[in-house]
């Protein structure tokens, strides 16, 4: 999992056309500034904070503003009981306001593999040429949404998750 974090940061920096910079303080960008704001989706319950915190820190160091969302507004709780305040509910997301979408994994992410609203948002981001990324077991949601067909992808390696990527037409890669 930790090996995927640099990939997400490099992907975000590359998508925005510049190498990541390390500011003294994280860059502050107005909410909805589409060129530099990424939506981070968390499972409402049981997200993996070991995937979440480094991803958020890496995006911040790259000067990318983040907004946190889940199925409902309020809070999300990690597998180790870290409570995170959310910025908005999934139903309130306007894709035009964001440069990309990152799905965070954790055991709670399996609940969203077949969530029609999250899958629709993933497709909408992809169809609009926006960055779409996932970590841990969350790439299964992307696969089942149909956005990984013909693309190289990786996932937390177990038989079920790898099978889902392959069935969706993704080119599974162990090394990310």
């Amino acid at each position: 999992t930790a090996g995927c974090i640099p990939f997400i940061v490099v992907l975000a920096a590359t998508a925005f056309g510049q190498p990541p910079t390390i500011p003294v303080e994280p860059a502050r960008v107005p909410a909805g500034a589409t060129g530099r704001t990424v939506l981070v989706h968390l499972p409402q319950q049981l997200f993996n904070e070991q995937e979440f915190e480094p991803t958020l820190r890496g995006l911040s160091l790259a000067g990318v503003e983040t907004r946190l969302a889940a199925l409902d507004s309020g809070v999300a709780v990690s597998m180790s009981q870290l409570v995170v305040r959310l910025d908005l509910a999934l139903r309130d997301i306007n894709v035009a306001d964001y440069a990309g979408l990152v799905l965070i994994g954790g055991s709670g992410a399996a609940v969203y593999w077949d969530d029609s609203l999250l899958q629709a948002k993933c497709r909408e981001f992809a169809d609009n040429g926006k960055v779409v990324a996932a970590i841990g077991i969350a790439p299964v949601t992307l696969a089942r949404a149909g956005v990984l067909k013909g693309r190289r992808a990786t996932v937390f390696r177990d038989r079920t998750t790898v099978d889902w990527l392959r069935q969706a037409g993704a080119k599974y890669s162990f090394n990310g």
Side-chain angles (χ1 to χ4, degrees):
T1 301
C4 294
I5 306 292
F7 173 74
I8 290 173
V9 173
V10 169
L11 175 65
T14 302
F16 300 124
Q18 63 186 43
T21 58
I22 302 175
V24 174
E25 272 185 33
R28 284 286 170 216
V29 178
T34 59
R36 303 293 291 177
T37 305
V38 169
L39 184 71
V40 177
H41 178 270
L42 298 169
Q44 200 87 44
Q45 297 291 321
L46 304 174
F47 71 87
N48 186 332
E49 80 182 67
Q50 292 176 341
E51 296 170 2
F52 169 68
E53 289 178 338
T55 299
L56 212 61
R57 185 173 37 259
L59 288 168
S60 177
L61 290 173
V64 177
E65 184 76 14
T66 54
R67 295 288 176 263
L68 305 178
L71 182 63
D72 294 312
S73 59
V75 299
V77 182
S78 78
M79 296 179 342
S80 61
Q81 302 305 303
L82 172 72
V83 177
V84 174
R85 184 180 314 267
L86 301 166
D87 297 311
L88 64 164
L90 187 61
R91 67 185 168 278
D92 299 327
I93 293 167
N94 181 359
V95 172
D97 292 340
Y98 302 95
L101 170 67
V102 176
L103 305 182
I104 300 296
S107 57
V111 172
Y112 298 94
W113 288 353
D114 288 320
D115 185 275
S116 60
L117 178 58
L118 182 55
Q119 287 182 2
K121 293 295 182 182
C122 291
R123 284 189 296 273
E124 192 176 349
F125 271 90
D127 291 347
N128 283 284
K130 311 246 179 169
V131 174
V132 181
I135 189 169
I137 65 169
V140 173
T141 301
L142 299 180
R144 294 179 78 160
V147 301
L148 295 181
K149 186 172 183 156
R151 295 183 160 217
R152 197 172 132 240
T154 191
V155 68
F156 176 81
R157 194 167 92 169
D158 85 358
R159 186 177 180 159
T160 302
T161 58
V162 172
D163 284 350
W164 280 116
L165 261 63
R166 288 185 173 143
Q167 288 174 20
K171 299 173 186 172
Y172 172 73
S173 172
F174 173 67
N175 294 322

